[in-house]
Amino acid sequence: MEIKKTAKKACRFCEEKKDPSYKNYEELRQFMTERGKIIGRRQTGVCAKHQRMLSREIKRARQLALLPYLVA
Ligand SMILES: [Zn+2]
């Protein structure tokens, strides 16, 4: 059995003291599923603030065709 409250890590962006940016779309990709969906912060451990920025930056990257929209 797994105890789920043990992994209390700071979010990646807080840890590295940087904000998600569309310019780092390769990095944003890690927060997306193979089908192009944004992974929830329950799974990624990203804090609420950065999750918001993350989704905004992913949307921007999509508009610039750096990241795919939903892949069917
Ligand atoms: Zn954060």
Side-chain angles (χ1 to χ4, degrees), residues 15 18 25 28 31 50 70-71:
E15 219 165 48
K18 62 179 187 182
Y25 62 92
L28 299 184
F31 297 96
H50 281 127
L70 272 180
V71 183

Side-chain angles (χ1 to χ4, degrees), residues 3-66:
I3 303 162
K4 280 184 180 170
K5 280 185 181 173
T6 43
K8 221 180 186 181
K9 251 181 72 185
C11 112
R12 269 190 54 179
F13 297 104
C14 287
E15 219 165 48
E16 292 171 29
K17 291 191 167 48
K18 62 179 187 182
D19 295 330
S21 164
Y22 70 92
K23 290 172 202 159
N24 300 322
Y25 62 92
E26 291 288 358
E27 213 174 84
L28 299 184
R29 212 177 260 265
Q30 295 167 16
F31 297 96
M32 295 170 73
T33 66
E34 282 172 21
R35 302 181 73 187
K37 269 189 72 177
I38 299 168
I39 301 171
R41 56 191 196 88
R42 276 175 163 233
Q43 282 163 66
T44 56
V46 175
C47 72
K49 184 182 104 183
H50 281 127
Q51 181 73 18
R52 261 201 314 275
M53 294 173 80
L54 192 62
S55 62
R56 196 188 62 202
E57 292 305 305
I58 286 176
K59 277 169 196 156
R60 190 178 293 178
R62 279 174 180 160
Q63 281 166 6
L64 296 168
L66 298 171

